[in-house]
Amino acid sequence: MYKFVFLIDEKERFDPTHFQESIVLGLNQSGSDLEAVAKFLDASGAKLDYRRYVETLFDILVAGGMLAPGGTLSDDMTCTEFCLFKAQEDMETMQAYAQVFNKLIRRYKYLEKGFQEEFKKLLLFLKGFTESERNKLAMLAGILLSKGNLSAAILSSLFNENLVKEGIVPGVSACFAVKLFKSWLTEKDINSVSSGLRKVGMDSRLMELFPANKRSCEHFSKYFTDAGLPELSDFAKNQQSIGARKELQKELEEQMSRGEPLKDIIPYVREEIKKNNISEQTMIGLIWASVMNSLEWNKKEELVTEQAIKLLKQYSPLLKSFTSQGLSELTLLLKIQEYCYDNIHFMKAFQNIVVLLYKADVLSEEAILKWYNEAHLAKGKSVFLEQMKKFVEWLKNAEEESESEEEEAD
């Protein structure tokens, strides 16, 4: 049973000095027993105004006292040795501290936003902390990010110019990021990292950890690979590839809207495939999306099919140029299925589109039968299979007749 002395009165509720003294006293009484610390914080929330003094509370738990601008401890305030910065620098201890913060925020949900803002501020103060203090903060951040107690939006503070700039050693931001991501990847895998970053748009901003003259995929990959984080290097390469594909699709759509001839578009696409090492399967998906985005579609279902047929007739030579492999044809079929399902006005147009592309030699009999028999998506499956039933029967009969004729010829 833990007992804590509370210095509570009305004055204290509106006085940060009294609030700080109460928290410091409780932490000193709890000592290095983090379970006792968690219980003290849980009980204190009913008596102390956490909502009003959220910054003070987290300053003390992290640094031992109130932080002045720049990250130094305020001299005129009571401090404690029992805080994150004075703890041992190892993952086990940081995981125990993460539990303290996790329990506190789960108990008092209104602290979530304040905790997020506190972390953004702490990251801006990194230069005011010792290397060991930065390491502990990075390890804690990685654990909390992996558990969803923090949003990756806090990383925006690391892009501050003063933290990014380098002297004879890498900038504070890049060094801090290494510790943070190692900690995150100790708890979860790269999928957790990529998901957390994408959720808040940080996936495309990691290059900003470095000065402007070093924001290249090559430098990023070498730095993090050398630091023992090849997963992050691969993630950055993948992001660069995604960025290149987005730019390519945008350019294709613009070329189509300008009405540029296919004799110019096809060589351009071939060059981009070579330059960005894009597979034909990926490219046919981009071309399909670009074609379908190049037109303003009619809202009336009966007119959409007519529009689609006209457009796809025009661009069938482009589609044919990049379906030289069976897998590319199947990819295109799946893209068509997905598009018709996601855009309800196209639900009835699926069969017409597939038949048109079959007649234009974009889709082969083999690809259509494979899609029909085993490789279709679940999206709208019953509707699309029913639409294709008669055409597939015709294909099978034509195939049988062809085989029969070949046998007779032999």
Side-chain angles (χ1 to χ4, degrees), residues 68 115 126 178 196 203 216 218 259 297 404:
F115 188 50
L126 285 179
V178 166
D203 53 322
S216 69
E218 293 72 23
W297 296 102
S404 176

Side-chain angles (χ1 to χ4, degrees), residues 284 319-320 323 326 328-334 336 353-368 388 391:
I284 196 63
L319 293 165
K320 186 180 178 181
T323 46
S328 305
E329 292 179 53
L330 196 54
T331 300
L332 177 57
L333 271 163
L334 294 173
I336 298 168
I353 292 171
V354 174
V355 171
L356 167 75
L357 295 179
Y358 169 76
K359 289 178 178 176
D361 285 334
V362 176
L363 296 174
S364 67
E365 174 187 319
E366 292 78 16
I368 294 169
M388 292 296 294
F391 182 66

Side-chain angles (χ1 to χ4, degrees), residues 348-394:
K348 292 180 180 177
F350 180 77
Q351 190 255 7
N352 290 304
I353 292 171
V354 174
V355 171
L356 167 75
L357 295 179
Y358 169 76
K359 289 178 178 176
D361 285 334
V362 176
L363 296 174
S364 67
E365 174 187 319
E366 292 78 16
I368 294 169
L369 291 175
K370 186 173 178 63
W371 171 87
Y372 185 85
N373 291 324
E374 59 183 89
H376 48 261
L377 300 171
K379 292 180 172 182
K381 168 183 163 183
S382 58
V383 175
F384 298 135
L385 291 181
E386 183 59 35
Q387 278 186 35
M388 292 296 294
K389 192 174 178 181
K390 286 184 180 177
F391 182 66
V392 165
E393 284 173 5
W394 179 83

Side-chain angles (χ1 to χ4, degrees), residues 89-91 131-132 134-143 172-186 223-224 227 229 232:
E89 189 185 322
D90 60 66
M91 274 299 284
E131 185 181 354
S132 177
R134 289 198 291 268
N135 288 344
K136 291 169 197 171
L137 193 62
M139 290 158 76
L140 176 71
I143 296 165
V172 171
S173 290
C175 294
F176 185 87
V178 166
K179 279 283 182 186
L180 183 150
F181 285 116
K182 278 188 175 178
S183 173
W184 194 339
L185 288 166
T186 298
Y223 181 84
F224 282 102
L229 284 166
L232 207 61

Side-chain angles (χ1 to χ4, degrees), residues 95-110:
Q95 284 163 340
Y97 262 95
Q99 274 299 312
V100 171
F101 287 106
N102 182 29
K103 286 176 183 176
L104 177 61
I105 290 163
R106 270 200 334 219
R107 176 71 176 82
Y108 299 103
K109 293 286 285 182
Y110 60 80

Side-chain angles (χ1 to χ4, degrees), residues 38-263:
K39 289 185 177 180
F40 158 71
L41 292 170
D42 185 281
S44 299
K47 302 175 183 181
L48 297 173
D49 194 348
Y50 283 175
R51 197 186 295 272
R52 180 183 288 267
Y53 299 120
V54 59
E55 186 178 1
T56 304
L57 173 64
F58 288 126
D59 272 3
I60 297 167
L61 292 176
V62 171
M66 282 285 286
L67 289 168
T72 56
L73 281 169
S74 298
D75 296 330
D76 56 343
M77 294 285 193
T78 312
C79 296
T80 179
E81 292 292 302
F82 300 104
C83 63
L84 180 82
F85 281 175
K86 299 294 182 183
Q88 283 183 274
E89 189 185 322
D90 60 66
M91 274 299 284
E92 190 178 349
T93 305
M94 294 304 104
Q95 284 163 340
Y97 262 95
Q99 274 299 312
V100 171
F101 287 106
N102 182 29
K103 286 176 183 176
L104 177 61
I105 290 163
R106 270 200 334 219
R107 176 71 176 82
Y108 299 103
K109 293 286 285 182
Y110 60 80
L111 291 175
E112 273 184 4
K113 188 178 178 185
F115 188 50
Q116 189 84 3
E117 292 306 311
E118 172 73 7
F119 240 96
K120 285 182 180 177
K121 179 192 80 175
L122 289 169
L123 297 191
L124 290 172
F125 289 173
L126 285 179
K127 280 196 169 179
F129 304 148
T130 66
E131 185 181 354
S132 177
E133 288 168 349
R134 289 198 291 268
N135 288 344
K136 291 169 197 171
L137 193 62
M139 290 158 76
L140 176 71
I143 296 165
L144 292 171
L145 283 161
S146 77
K147 296 183 186 304
N149 299 129
L150 275 178
S151 158
I154 62 161
L155 299 180
S156 61
S157 293
L158 292 179
F159 307 145
N160 181 278
E161 191 180 342
N162 289 326
L163 299 175
V164 167
K165 66 182 179 184
E166 301 176 345
I168 54 172
V169 294
V172 171
S173 290
C175 294
F176 185 87
V178 166
K179 279 283 182 186
L180 183 150
F181 285 116
K182 278 188 175 178
S183 173
W184 194 339
L185 288 166
T186 298
E187 299 291 307
K188 295 280 178 72
D189 61 16
I190 192 64
N191 293 323
S192 165
V193 175
S194 61
S195 172
L197 294 172
R198 282 195 185 104
K199 201 177 287 183
V200 290
M202 286 292 150
D203 53 322
S204 59
R205 296 192 61 193
L206 292 183
M207 297 291 172
E208 293 176 52
L209 290 166
F210 300 99
N213 64 340
K214 292 189 176 175
R215 285 176 196 167
S216 69
C217 195
E218 293 72 23
H219 178 76
F220 184 99
S221 294
K222 184 176 187 319
Y223 181 84
F224 282 102
T225 300
D226 291 349
L229 284 166
E231 309 98 317
L232 207 61
S233 299
D234 292 342
F235 173 73
K237 287 174 187 171
N238 186 45
Q239 286 306 111
Q240 187 185 45
S241 176
I242 290 169
R245 294 201 294 267
K246 282 181 180 173
E247 284 302 309
L248 172 55
Q249 185 175 325
K250 187 180 171 187
E251 175 57 28
L252 268 177
E253 287 172 20
E254 286 176 1
Q255 287 185 13
M256 290 172 187
S257 66
R258 292 195 299 266
E260 293 195 12
L262 294 181
K263 67 180 179 63

